[in-house]
Amino acid sequence: MSAGTTAVWGRAEQQDFRSRVRGALLGGAIGDTLGAAVDRLALEEIREAHGTDGVTDLLPVHGTRGTVTAVTQLGLFTVDGLIRAQVRRDIGAWHPPTDIHRAHLRWAATQHDWGPDERREDNGWLGRQEWLYARRDPTRECLMGLGDTTMGTLDRPKNPDARDAAPLTRSVPFGLLVGWEPQLVLQLAVECAAQTHGHPTTLLAAGALAVLVHGLTRGETLDGAVQHTLALLAERPGHEPVTEALKQALGTVRQGIPGPALIESLGATDTAEEALAVAVYCALVGEDVRHGLRLAVNHGGPSATTGALCGALLGALHGETALPPAWLAELEGRATVLELADDFAMEMTQGPALHGPAAAAPGWLTRYPRA
């Protein structure tokens, strides 16, 4: 697999790209924590606990407001893996799915019960962040898929019948590879989803989500990004469930005032295509990021997942400055997310100056080693 040609970046383009990268990663984390407090509760249960309007502000999760789940943790390791893949390209070790798998194994290493002195020394700077060692409801499929060093592939995927939406949330970073062609972004997301999930619909839903983020990061409208994603999906065998879900999301926009009834008509289960449809619909109809995220979590279903997906879409669309500052201020690990986002943006726009043939930054190679 090879990437598309990366254009020369102007300063304004670099700033816009960094804002969208920050927006996607921070927005996803905000949506994750907003939905985590009511994840998989029925709408009636949400309203009984939080009033008619449901969740309108951050709530304590795992004892504290702003804490994220494994959805965000695993996505950050995906970003780390993509940076390392770019660095390793210098030495001809160019196989991004393998680098992503190694990164996900580093995440899996954080899920064991051991103290700081017992942790893996090769887990990198990200793996030394103490807050990432909190076990925050990782899915059984992710733990099993990454429970040994054998990498799931399209020919031999892990958990071949798994159809939940976990691979979608960690596919957001693939969409930030704006120097790649969309079809390669889709393929990378599909291949990496197979590391823990094997159902064909889940694989294509992960690919579709990555292509949506890719279009938004490149400056497309959300409706335009959906249309381009549908065109790419049409070339893939078995695309019909994902295509229908996206078309239903578009059609539901015209059916009246947004609310839980319309959202639940798109699906209230954890299947990948339904979670994707809910997130896209809420991003389309949200008056702003806050409104879109509230819609995305106030329904019966996987609220943390749909919140995270919607937040990533809106963040990539509008950039970091559109995110609610009061929610950002309480977000767990915000400094780490920002640091990683900025590292990713710098690698993708100025990589040759960091580790190219004419220059090398030792500190960068310490953070993201080639080994």
Side-chain angles (χ1 to χ4, degrees):
M1 181 183 296
S2 61
T5 302
T6 302
V8 176
W9 293 78
R11 181 171 297 178
E13 292 173 317
Q14 290 183 33
Q15 291 174 343
D16 179 73
F17 176 60
R18 184 177 67 176
S19 177
R20 293 179 190 271
V21 172
R22 285 181 165 190
L25 299 184
L26 290 170
I30 289 174
D32 175 21
T33 186
L34 188 69
V38 293
D39 198 45
R40 293 177 175 81
L41 293 182
L43 179 61
E44 294 77 14
E45 294 175 298
I46 295 174
R47 287 176 167 170
E48 181 178 347
H50 305 291
T52 304
D53 294 332
V55 175
T56 60
D57 198 359
L58 299 184
L59 297 168
V61 183
H62 300 286
T64 308
R65 285 164 57 104
T67 53
V68 299
T69 75
V71 161
T72 296
Q73 295 173 333
L74 189 49
L76 295 180
F77 277 92
T78 304
V79 178
D80 179 75
L82 286 174
I83 297 174
R84 293 198 191 197
Q86 289 294 110
V87 171
R88 283 168 54 79
R89 191 174 186 177
D90 293 343
I91 58 174
W94 179 241
H95 190 249
T98 297
D99 289 301
I100 297 303
H101 184 243
R102 289 172 175 166
H104 290 166
L105 290 178
R106 292 193 292 274
W107 166 79
T110 69
Q111 300 302 292
H112 297 293
D113 295 325
W114 48 24
D117 294 336
E118 302 173 294
R119 295 171 185 170
R120 286 174 44 170
E121 295 182 359
D122 63 344
N123 225 17
W125 82 268
L126 186 64
R128 290 192 291 272
Q129 306 306 306
E130 187 67 27
W131 67 280
L132 289 173
Y133 282 79
R135 189 156 177 166
R136 299 284 175 68
D137 304 320
T139 67
R140 177 175 175 270
E141 290 78 11
C142 286
L143 290 175
M144 290 182 61
L146 301 169
D148 57 49
T149 58
T150 302
M151 185 174 75
T153 64
L154 293 180
D155 292 334
R156 300 187 67 180
K158 295 290 187 73
N159 301 307
D161 297 323
R163 194 169 179 171
D164 64 272
L168 274 67
T169 52
R170 68 172 192 259
S171 294
V172 168
F174 304 136
L176 303 175
L177 295 168
V178 296
W180 290 40
E181 295 303 319
Q183 60 268 28
L184 294 178
V185 169
L186 189 151
Q187 182 64 22
L188 178 60
V190 167
E191 289 186 27
C192 291
Q195 294 175 9
T196 60
H197 290 64
H199 195 285
T201 300
T202 298
L203 301 181
L204 286 180
L209 186 279
V211 173
L212 285 171
V213 173
H214 188 255
L216 297 177
T217 309
R218 282 183 160 187
E220 294 181 9
T221 65
L222 181 51
D223 185 79
V226 173
Q227 298 299 337
H228 290 158
T229 300
L230 288 170
L232 276 180
L233 284 174
E235 302 171 1
R236 297 278 180 148
H239 69 90
E240 290 82 5
V242 181
T243 293
E244 181 56 35
L246 287 174
K247 287 182 176 179
Q248 190 176 354
L250 291 175
T252 304
V253 172
R254 300 185 293 272
Q255 293 183 13
I257 299 174
L262 286 178
I263 292 170
E264 292 191 355
S265 73
L266 295 169
T269 74
D270 194 28
T271 57
E273 71 273 22
E274 289 187 358
L276 177 63
V278 168
V280 169
Y281 169 75
C282 293
L284 283 167
V285 301
E287 298 171 2
D288 55 23
V289 175
R290 187 185 298 269
H291 181 232
L293 286 177
R294 286 173 173 170
L295 288 171
V297 303
N298 283 298
H299 59 84
S303 297
T305 297
T306 53
L309 295 176
C310 181
L313 292 172
L314 290 171
L317 176 63
H318 298 298
E320 63 169 321
T321 57
L323 302 177
W327 291 352
L328 275 176
E330 294 190 74
L331 181 65
E332 179 185 32
R334 176 166 59 99
T336 302
V337 179
L338 279 170
E339 187 173 1
L340 188 64
D342 289 353
D343 279 1
F344 180 88
M346 188 156 56
E347 171 62 41
M348 297 304 154
T349 59
Q350 302 177 71
L354 294 167
H355 52 81
W364 194 257
L365 296 179
T366 298
R367 288 172 68 79
Y368 303 105
R370 290 175 172 143

